[in-house]
Amino acid sequence: MSEPFTTLTSKTVILSQANIDTDQIIPARFLTTTTREGLGKAAFYDWRYEADGSEKPEAILNRIDPAEHRILLAGKNFACGSSREHAPWALYDYGFRAVISTEIADIFTSNALKNGLLPVVVSQNVWDDLASQPDQPVTIDLEARQIRRGNAQPVPFEVESFARQCLLNGVDTLGWLQSNLQEIEAFERSRETV
Amino acid sequence: MPDPKTLFDKVWDAHVVRPETADTPGVLYIDLHLVHEVTSPQAFSEIEARGLKVRRPDRTYATLDHSTPTLPAGLNGLKPYVTPQAEAQVHTLERNCAAHGVPLAGWGSEDRGVVHVMGPELGLTQPGMTVVCGDSHTATHGAFGALAFGIGTSEVGHVLATQCLLQRKPKAMRVTVIGELQSGVSGKDVALAVIAAIGFGGGTGYVIEYAGEAVRSLDMEGRMTLCNMSIEAGARAGMIAPDQTTIDWLRGRKHVPADYEAATAEWLKLATDPGATFDKEVVIDGAAIRPMATWGTTPDAGAPIGAPVPQPQSDSDRKAIAYMGFTPGEATTSQPVDVVFIGSCTNGRLPDLRAAAEVLRGRKVKPGLRMLVVPGSEAVRRAAEAEGLHEVFIAAGAEWRIPGCSMCIAMNGDVVAPGQLAVSTSNRNFEGRQGKDARTILASPATAAATAVAGVLTDPRVFLNEVVDA
Ligand code: SF4
């Protein structure tokens, strides 16, 4: 399970390309796993490794310390493509705890929020500003729904209210869904008697 | 008079168990949950760790498709799985289905197929239903007027345990394709033209309803192709209102309601009411659509075959064109093609194979080019073989395989080699989608077949005795 998310302060890694799809985040050949664990190695595998498995020394994700770079600053329409939850699992296991982009795919957003990885959508201006100083730590405050950096004006962001509560308090979504069981049964009965 | 509603509103509203509030998403009931081996193992583990069973195995249906080999077992009787892990994944689903009483169209079942080919074929998919699957191309089922969308593995667990999902209602977009489609233009060409018009992320946050006479004129398979690719514009789902074409197609299928006439009367009421409004409207001239192909590494990078590769508008375009090995201003029809793939949940159905066979009949695949034809299901395979289509493919020099996802996702060992150029009837041309460093052009089955003959990307109307305009 992921840890609760309240406030995160970290340096960012920039992958500015638009339309980084789920096949880039984790290539399909790593999807034959039957567990959630250990996918960090597969994150952006073809960007990080040669065909023979040796590291590409120039790849940014091989040059940084993931423990110090918890925020991925990604280009427009991030994580488009497949519904594979392996994508947030891989990013989380690599070390990311948040992704900031100007546009993030729907299914990925839903998957990420369930796995302790916070997707944050910002305007192009804010994105450009953050990208101009990657080494300066950024604070993402989920309680206040704000991004802060240095003395700059805090930037508000939106996040679905229930997902936010779940992240802040570690609410178990399946458990919550199950608490509706009586209503679900009543719904089924009402339809079957029509 | 109640407020006019869209098709999407009607299906959504009929499935709300608990309405959404500012603080909590709604609880949405799911009629049909389709399951495959890749996105389900962790969901079964999750519910088992909580001591839960699959709540409605009768609303759950599983198949094997993504990791399965498309070549027959060897002389030793063993299936040629790409890795032991792929085999273990298949066995995990077999075990999970047995333990939870979930029906599985497994090896040896005459019903097995790619999940989005199989569901409609068996009549599991019906108008007005909510359908989900741990797979982004679930939108395919929307062709029947179902609300069908892809979910992640955690949500697969939610549906297994409760038959429900936590959801906020997406926005609604209508894409109207007016006019009459020209002959030689297929559902795939319409899909590529629509995605090019909306843009790759242009549908994010929306459910699309496809309308207009050009959409109505498509057969069910063409409509499935169109809805299938809704996700390639970023949309959650694509839907088409049921009509006589829908009713005729589903009649007599294995799982349709016993009182079919009563059901169809309800289905016909699902159409969007006059005066219902959409958050966004897009109109496309269907008569202007030509056979399409992609030039970049996103599905929206499509253009009529023969059109020059555009001048890059961004760094991403530049990178995509460089990856594809194209030059701006040049047509994509000059590069030798190495591989042609016909199959997938986008274009692996019987009319797709017929369209390809029509081009290939009496012709040969260009020497040196590899052509793979993979039917979308066992039923498609049987029907194609009954018509002798497999003989047309084999005589032309193509490989005729066992149903599965195959080169669409390239996780079963069917891959395009590094650097090779493929023309594929699947749905994604992402970098490396069909194998590391593989280059993919998306096109229709007829285009793929014409390309296999000519050895370069080719407008199929050349072989279908049609006049090709500029
Ligand atoms: S054929 Fe391709 S898109 Fe369709 S279900 Fe299989 S992998 Fe997904």
Side-chain angles (χ1 to χ4, degrees), chain B residues 66 78 179 213 325 332 336 380 441:
Chain B
H66 285 64
L78 297 179
E213 53 268 47
T332 51
V380 171
I441 293 174

Side-chain angles (χ1 to χ4, degrees), chain A residues 17-18 21 23-24 31-33 35 77 80-81 83 85 106 111 160-162 172 176 178 180 188 191, chain B residues 18 22 25 29 31 42 50 55-56 85 89 135 152-154 168 200 205 316 319 428 430-431 433:
Chain A
Q17 191 186 330
D21 58 73
D23 280 277
Q24 309 312 311
L31 304 185
T32 51
T33 178
T35 64
N77 198 22
C80 48
S83 62
E85 203 160 315
D106 283 342
N111 286 338
E160 199 278 313
S161 52
F162 183 74
D172 163 22
W176 193 86
Q178 278 186 286
N180 292 278
E188 285 175 330
R191 292 210 317 170
Chain B
R18 179 176 162 157
Y29 194 76
D31 293 318
Q42 298 87 348
R50 295 167 184 247
R55 190 162 167 276
R56 294 293 301 261
Q85 214 183 18
Q89 194 175 52
D135 190 286
T153 295
S154 295
R168 287 195 182 275
F200 192 31
S316 304
K319 188 163 178 287
R428 287 188 174 140
F430 299 159
E431 283 184 25
R433 168 78 176 186

Side-chain angles (χ1 to χ4, degrees), chain B residues 36 65-66 114-116 135-137 228 232 343-346 404-411 426-428 433:
Chain B
H36 64 80
D65 54 6
H66 285 64
V114 176
V115 60
H116 311 308
D135 190 286
S136 58
H137 293 96
N228 172 278
E232 310 311 338
S344 87
C345 63
T346 312
C405 296
S406 182
M407 268 187 191
C408 173
I409 189 163
M411 62 181 288
S426 55
N427 42 57
R428 287 188 174 140
R433 168 78 176 186

Side-chain angles (χ1 to χ4, degrees), chain B residues 31-233:
Chain B
D31 293 318
L32 174 65
H33 183 196
L34 298 169
V35 173
H36 64 80
E37 72 275 24
V38 179
T39 54
S40 66
Q42 298 87 348
F44 279 105
S45 318
E46 175 71 34
I47 68 162
E48 283 174 359
R50 295 167 184 247
L52 301 170
K53 295 290 283 180
V54 173
R55 190 162 167 276
R56 294 293 301 261
D58 59 324
R59 291 190 174 280
T60 314
Y61 201 100
T63 187
L64 304 172
D65 54 6
H66 285 64
S67 305
T68 51
T70 58
L71 285 169
L75 291 174
N76 56 9
L78 297 179
K79 293 195 161 55
Y81 283 100
V82 62
T83 58
Q85 214 183 18
E87 180 165 14
Q89 194 175 52
V90 164
H91 294 324
T92 302
L93 183 58
E94 290 169 340
R95 264 198 316 278
N96 284 332
C97 287
H100 290 268
V102 171
L104 168 70
W107 287 121
S109 165
E110 60 172 25
D111 293 338
R112 193 183 68 83
V114 176
V115 60
H116 311 308
V117 178
M118 177 196 74
E121 209 164 66
L122 294 177
L124 290 164
T125 306
Q126 294 163 23
M129 279 186 163
T130 45
V131 181
V132 297
C133 173
D135 190 286
S136 58
H137 293 96
T138 307
T140 311
H141 309 263
F144 294 84
L147 173 63
F149 54 93
I151 56 177
T153 295
S154 295
E155 291 177 317
V156 171
H158 293 178
V159 182
L160 290 177
T162 68
Q163 204 56 34
C164 287
L165 277 176
L166 293 173
Q167 290 285 306
R168 287 195 182 275
K169 192 176 177 185
K171 290 179 286 187
M173 181 192 302
R174 177 161 58 189
V175 174
T176 307
V177 189
I178 56 168
E180 196 179 331
L181 298 176
Q182 297 193 13
S183 91
V185 170
S186 71
K188 181 60 158 290
D189 301 305
V190 177
L192 289 172
V194 166
I195 299 160
I198 302 176
F200 192 31
T204 303
Y206 290 92
V207 165
I208 298 176
E209 176 176 345
Y210 298 100
E213 53 268 47
V215 172
R216 290 270 146 244
S217 74
L218 293 172
D219 59 11
M220 283 317 298
E221 288 82 358
R223 295 180 188 186
M224 284 190 258
T225 303
L226 178 59
C227 288
N228 172 278
M229 292 192 71
S230 302
I231 183 73
E232 310 311 338

